[in-house]
Structure formats: structure tokens, C-alpha cells
Amino acid sequence: MTEPTGTIDVLVVDDDFMVARVHRTFVERVPSFRVVGTAHTGEQAIKAVDELRPDLVLLDLYLPDVFGLDVIPRLRTAGHDCDVLVISAAREADAVRDAVRHGVVDYLLKPFDYEDLQPRLERYATRRGRLLTTVVRGQADVDRALAGAFAPAAGNALPKGMSVETADLIERALRDADGTLSATEAATATGVSRVSARRYLEYFHDTGHADVALRYGSAGRPERRYSWRA
């Protein structure tokens, strides 16, 4: 494992070569993270961990040879203590529960883009550094080490700089939409700027009130489409 103040080495595991390449690009845009390799099957992932000793594995679940979660106990049996962040289209509650039981540090649904992955990696880096450097003298030290999980803060208070009025506007636009909305469409419907609309849409997504899907066009970045979660 790397030192807490150093680079975090990452192995990207995905059966799709192009998706793995995109995820690699996302990871390497986050400061302090470095992709040391990619794998496209469970067996390749186990071999890569043996050879590369990554700190973090971005693990797809739908691999061609084994189910992704079955890779984790094999890594532990082999003595590897790398962390695992699941990246998968698997939305079944059983898959999520099993991932938690296997001790994954986060679970990110496909499709996603850089703005989805970045904050999760940053939170992981913060918590990892806290765990590696903490000195336990009592329960308070344990509580501090385990604080700052990977979900947005609980409670109804909006983040600084966001207003209840604008949040209500964006929420109504999402609820009234016939299908999904882009940030541009939400801005047009509510009269706020596209940047503001995107910020509120991402807030609703982060707090579990909205779903997001990526629409791929013929060129350029995929468009993020939002829908209110009933």
C-alpha cells in the first residue's frame, strides 16, 4: 500500500475495453490517483493485483468468467488488502447488500461520468488517509477515523449557496417532466442559469432524489439526463 500522503494506485476492472479506457481517463484526472493497470476478466484482475499491488480496485460485477464480488474473497485469501469500489449496472438490492458485506468502499451505478466518480474518489482518499494515520487513544479517535462516510451529509439543509426557492423550482420541473430533463432544459423551464440548474440537479442526484442517465450523441461528451425518483 502507498503512504497516505502519496499516490493512490488504481486497477480498473471492466469487461468492456472501451469503458475501461474511459474509466481510466476519469481516474487519472483526479489528483493523487494513478491507474497502474486494467483487467477485463476476474482471473485477469486477480493476477493484476498479484503483480501490481494496487491500493484501490474499480471492480465491475458483470465479468465474463466470474461474478465480480466473487473476486474479493479470492483476493483476501491471497493476502491482498486493497480496497474495492464497485462500478456496475447491477441495481438489484441483493447485489448492493452483498457488496456491503464484502466490505466495498463505495458502489457507483453505471452509466456515470467524471462528475460522479470524482467526489467518491476524493472522499475515499480522505477517509483512507484518516484511517492510515490515526492514533487510537480512545473511542473519540475511533469515531473520528470512521467519520465522513461516502454518502452526502444527512439532513434537509441545503449546501452553502443554494436556496430553497430554486431547489423547489428545479424539483417541480423534474416532477412535471414527461420523461427526463437535461440541465439546459431545466434552466429553460425554471428561468435559472444552466450552471445553477446543473448544480441543483446534481444535488438531487447525490441525495438520492433523482436518477441520472447518459445519452450518447454522435460526437462530444454524453448528455446527462435527470428524472425525479418516485
Side-chain angles (χ1 to χ4, degrees):
M1 302 286 280
T2 60
E3 293 302 316
T5 56
T7 301
I8 297 174
D9 290 339
V10 180
L11 174 70
V12 175
V13 182
D14 198 287
D15 68 316
D16 188 306
F17 284 75
M18 292 300 297
V19 171
R21 183 180 301 174
V22 171
H23 293 170
R24 178 176 191 141
T25 301
F26 289 166
V27 172
E28 292 186 333
R29 289 175 61 186
V30 183
S32 299
F33 285 85
R34 173 180 62 190
V35 175
V36 294
T38 58
H40 308 291
T41 69
E43 292 298 331
Q44 288 179 8
I46 294 167
K47 183 178 180 180
V49 171
D50 279 333
E51 296 175 352
L52 302 172
R53 304 285 171 157
D55 303 303
L56 178 67
V57 177
L58 265 61
L59 180 65
D60 187 18
L61 296 188
Y62 294 139
L63 301 175
D65 52 347
V66 297
F67 188 55
L69 291 180
D70 293 334
V71 171
I72 300 176
R74 293 181 60 181
L75 294 177
R76 301 299 179 237
T77 299
H80 299 301
D81 61 352
C82 52
D83 292 315
V84 176
L85 190 162
V86 168
I87 48 173
S88 177
R91 298 172 179 267
E92 298 85 356
D94 285 345
V96 177
R97 283 193 292 266
D98 286 345
V100 172
R101 294 189 186 105
H102 280 84
V104 304
V105 299
D106 209 337
Y107 193 113
L108 180 57
L109 287 174
K110 294 181 179 180
F112 62 87
D113 64 13
Y114 175 72
E115 286 77 8
D116 295 309
L117 182 61
Q118 177 195 14
R120 286 171 169 79
L121 291 181
E122 291 174 343
R123 287 193 291 268
Y124 164 74
T126 298
R127 186 165 184 248
R128 176 176 177 274
R130 185 185 299 121
L131 289 171
L132 291 177
T133 59
T134 190
V135 176
V136 178
R137 301 180 183 87
Q139 185 63 47
D141 296 313
V142 175
D143 293 341
R144 278 192 293 271
L146 297 180
F150 300 97
N156 296 322
L158 290 169
K160 184 177 180 180
M162 298 179 71
S163 72
V164 174
E165 293 78 13
T166 304
D168 288 342
L169 284 174
I170 300 296
E171 178 181 337
R172 284 199 298 271
L174 275 177
R175 287 180 179 275
D176 295 342
D178 183 15
T180 61
L181 278 182
S182 67
T184 300
E185 291 165 347
T188 301
T190 59
V192 305
S193 70
R194 181 187 177 280
V195 172
S196 292
R198 171 68 180 263
R199 186 182 181 198
Y200 284 88
L201 290 168
E202 286 296 318
Y203 168 75
F204 286 132
H205 176 233
D206 289 343
T207 54
H209 292 93
D211 291 319
V212 64
L214 301 183
R215 176 182 292 176
Y216 292 86
S218 57
R221 295 180 59 186
E223 181 184 50
R224 292 173 70 82
R225 307 285 305 184
Y226 303 85
S227 60
W228 190 257
R229 182 175 293 176

